[in-house]
């Protein structure tokens, strides 16, 4: 599997989180569609199938992440 560069993952996480706040405040269709696009990209970039797992996996790949701490991935 190809691995996305940490800078790309960081940017996608920031975009998703910003759009999530906008969607919660305004609920605009355009914002929701953009969130779905970014969620899909994060899932593909991390080899996951849902946005929550994608966010965890992406954060684990960022510089400074504690790779030995997988407590968030436990079932």
């Amino acid at each position: 599997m190809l691995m996305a560069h940490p800078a790309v993952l960081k940017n996608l996480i920031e975009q998703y989180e910003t759009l999530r706040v906008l969607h919660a405040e305004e609920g605009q269709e355009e914002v929701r569609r953009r969130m779905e696009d970014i969620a899909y990209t994060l899932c593909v970039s991390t080899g996951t199938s849902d946005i929550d797992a994608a966010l965890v996996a992406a954060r684990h790949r960022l510089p400074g992440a504690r790779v030995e701490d997988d407590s968030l991935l436990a079932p």
Side-chain angles (χ1 to χ4, degrees), residues 34-67:
R34 183 68 182 134
M35 272 181 60
E36 289 175 357
D37 290 345
I38 291 174
Y40 175 81
T41 303
L42 274 165
C43 288
V44 169
S45 299
T46 58
T48 57
S49 59
D50 69 79
I51 187 59
D52 294 326
L55 288 168
V56 169
R59 287 185 180 117
H60 270 78
R61 293 188 189 149
L62 296 180
R66 295 177 42 198
V67 295

Side-chain angles (χ1 to χ4, degrees), residues 3-4 7 9 11 17 23 25 36 45 47 59 61 63-64 67:
M3 303 295 268
L9 292 173
N11 181 274
E17 290 174 345
H23 183 64
E25 291 175 357
E36 289 175 357
S45 299
R59 287 185 180 117
R61 293 188 189 149
V67 295

Side-chain angles (χ1 to χ4, degrees), residues 5-20:
H5 190 279
V8 172
L9 292 173
K10 182 176 187 265
N11 181 274
L12 288 169
I13 292 168
E14 289 172 355
Q15 286 184 59
Y16 184 82
E17 290 174 345
T18 299
L19 289 168
R20 184 169 42 191

